[in-house]
Amino acid sequence: MTRAKHYQLPPKRQKMMPDAKKQGSNEEILLADVRRLLASYTPMEAHNGDIETTEDKASASNSLPERFSEVEVKISEISSTGDGLGFVTNSDIVYVVPFTAPGDIVKAKVVNLFAKDRYTLTDFLNVVTPSSKRDDTHIGCQYFAKCSGCQFQMLSYNDQLSHKRTVIERAYENFCTLAPELVPSVGDTIGSPLQYGYRTKLTPHFDKPRENRNGNADAEAVEGEHSETDQSKDVPSIGFMLKGRRKVLDIEDCPIGTDAVRAGMKSERDRVAREIRNYKRGATLLLRENTTRTSISPSSSYTSPIVNDNTLPDTKQHNTRHSKRTDTPPDMGSTQTPLHTTKPNFVDSKTCITDFNATTTEYIDSYFFQNTAGAFFQNNNSILPRFTAYIRENILSSISAAKPIKYLIDAYCGSGLFTVTLSSLFIASMGIDISQASIDAARLNAAANNISNTTFMAASASALFKEVQFTADETVVVIDPPRKGCDDEFLSQLLLFGPQRIVYVSCNVHTQARDVSILVDGNSGRKYDIESLRGFDFFPQTGHVEGVAILNRSQDVESKGKTDQDQRQ
């Protein structure tokens, strides 16, 4: 291999490196996997199978690739970020190669080298020798290996689920400070009923093309960035980011979207092509599935609850979780041709909503939810019945306690997913969220489902438990924070309140592992034991996994607290 000079860490990368508290960023997650792999690596793992010599060791320690050189890499494993990690012959540099499977031998182009941490980011070029794990007949999208959205379409679904269990295991190895014996085995990942056609929301985007002095669109593009079927050369690429680039890849169809969302994508692309000169800047488009349910059984008393579109609050001021937009023309509404799904007792009619401030409807089993279209709600409806059923079956402890759990606090409640679906298990439930718009939606959803034992309150995380009247010994708290996890102030309050049980749901199992460490270590005289850990595959074909950790308040601490109290008396 050609020896190259040592590259310095780019300034932007330096800013992204983790501080003393682990933040669970992709860079930090990747670096933890790289360090673990390097600690166990020997050059014999290189794909030529040669045995390492003293000379090889020296070469391996000093061989750094030239930027933009092409190398042949044997993939050792998949990282927790979804990219392959591998080596070239007689080198101890880890090559990060997207769209690869363990055992693949691939050609890749070096893009960035981080010499201090001994890894390099690369572009995937082609497969030289496929491994037994790779089966390209599984690939269901023409844009795979270009689009940054999916990583695993070449893997069997069982291998995807197995890998996601490994992601959780690594998260608790790398981001959790607990002794291994305090962390239970991770359960098998619960899969999605649909592996394609599952996403009920997509947000493709486009940049306004620059214009030259003659008023013509700038033709700058990359290979595969723009479709040959564009209606006008002035129409920019509409889609998602090209892997490893700050460029939009033109995408005409996304097969992980539901049929209604895919139909909406086609119609929105056509509309933007017609109206492109109305946009002064780029925009993010919204494609959100909406369901209208109609009873078809004469014996059924079911009627679909109706909430007027105007009853949900305008989220322009309150909602901070939806995608950034610029220049939204006033005539954006929805696709008008419904797609019908017939069940024994009802017909679901699916349409695609394209207005961020419109109201959308979803059904989870018999529960009915309405949300502002641009607001956050889980994007895989097919797995939600399994997911909510698992929470229902495990939220109450099987261990006999002096006082049974009677109350639920749903922190970060959003529009009431857990508060509504779990309400029948409790005497009273309270949903709390920082967003007033979310609280307004949650109240409407509770009323629409005829649930009367719930209350909702808008409060910041720093004041979450101040108004709670429930007895901690009889309360379970569900927390479902954003990717950054819980802040120290919230965790301190939670430990001070000390509920009997905690269910921690997370879209970032690495920050979950960090936070669970704090809860198990404890303070304020309270600490917790981990009862179970399990993943849910909300996003098949991608590297993402949703984690559920269930914790019980430590019996040892409870006993000690009672003894101390008795002694004081």
Side-chain angles (χ1 to χ4, degrees), residues 336-461:
Q336 298 301 314
T337 304
L339 303 174
H340 302 293
T341 302
T342 302
K343 301 291 184 179
N345 297 321
F346 57 84
V347 174
D348 280 345
S349 300
K350 308 281 189 177
T351 56
C352 182
I353 298 295
T354 58
D355 181 351
F356 279 79
N357 295 306
T359 298
T360 59
T361 302
E362 292 203 43
Y363 291 84
I364 303 170
D365 292 324
S366 61
Y367 294 102
F368 166 89
F369 289 88
Q370 287 199 319
N371 302 276
T372 304
F376 173 79
F377 198 77
Q378 295 288 0
N379 295 335
N380 181 350
N381 184 275
S382 76
I383 199 175
L384 286 176
R386 292 183 179 180
F387 178 62
T388 54
Y390 178 85
I391 302 296
R392 283 179 61 86
E393 292 165 3
N394 291 276
I395 194 167
L396 298 177
S397 177
S398 59
I399 302 173
S400 59
K403 295 181 179 180
I405 293 176
K406 300 177 182 178
Y407 307 107
L408 166 69
I409 296 174
D410 181 8
Y412 307 93
C413 73
S415 59
L417 174 63
F418 296 120
T419 325
V420 169
T421 59
L422 301 174
S423 61
S424 63
L425 299 176
F426 303 98
I427 292 175
S429 303
M430 174 179 284
I432 307 172
D433 199 278
I434 191 173
S435 166
Q436 183 63 53
S438 294
I439 292 298
D440 292 341
R443 286 172 177 153
L444 288 169
N445 286 327
N449 287 279
N450 299 314
I451 294 171
S452 58
N453 65 337
T454 60
T455 57
F456 296 93
M457 176 178 64
S460 67

Side-chain angles (χ1 to χ4, degrees), residues 16-65:
M16 298 173 75
M17 293 298 287
D19 56 21
K21 180 180 178 180
K22 294 183 177 180
Q23 302 300 316
S25 67
N26 278 353
E27 292 77 19
E28 192 176 9
I29 295 165
L30 177 61
L31 183 57
D33 282 350
V34 166
R35 287 173 173 169
R36 179 188 48 76
L37 183 59
L38 283 171
S40 62
Y41 166 74
T42 62
M44 286 179 64
E45 295 173 356
H47 59 267
N48 68 350
D50 291 342
I51 299 200
E52 176 187 27
T53 65
T54 303
E55 187 176 328
D56 290 333
K57 287 183 178 180
S59 176
S61 298
N62 294 305
S63 296
L64 297 173

Side-chain angles (χ1 to χ4, degrees), residues 284-345:
T284 294
L285 306 177
L286 174 67
L287 308 171
R288 180 104 220 187
E289 184 176 273
N290 177 68
T291 303
T292 301
R293 178 167 291 182
T294 306
S295 173
I296 59 174
S297 173
S299 62
S300 173
S301 60
Y302 176 86
T303 55
S304 177
I306 301 297
V307 179
N308 188 287
D309 285 356
N310 294 325
T311 60
L312 287 182
D314 186 337
T315 58
K316 289 179 180 178
Q317 299 298 322
H318 297 293
N319 180 33
T320 60
R321 297 185 74 173
H322 64 65
S323 302
K324 296 180 180 179
R325 294 181 293 142
T326 58
D327 295 310
T328 305
D331 62 346
M332 294 178 71
S334 66
T335 57
Q336 298 301 314
T337 304
L339 303 174
H340 302 293
T341 302
T342 302
K343 301 291 184 179
N345 297 321

Side-chain angles (χ1 to χ4, degrees), residues 67-82:
R67 195 177 184 196
F68 304 125
S69 61
E70 295 184 5
V71 293
E72 201 168 278
V73 183
K74 182 171 183 179
I75 304 301
S76 300
E77 62 181 49
I78 302 176
S79 73
S80 299
T81 61

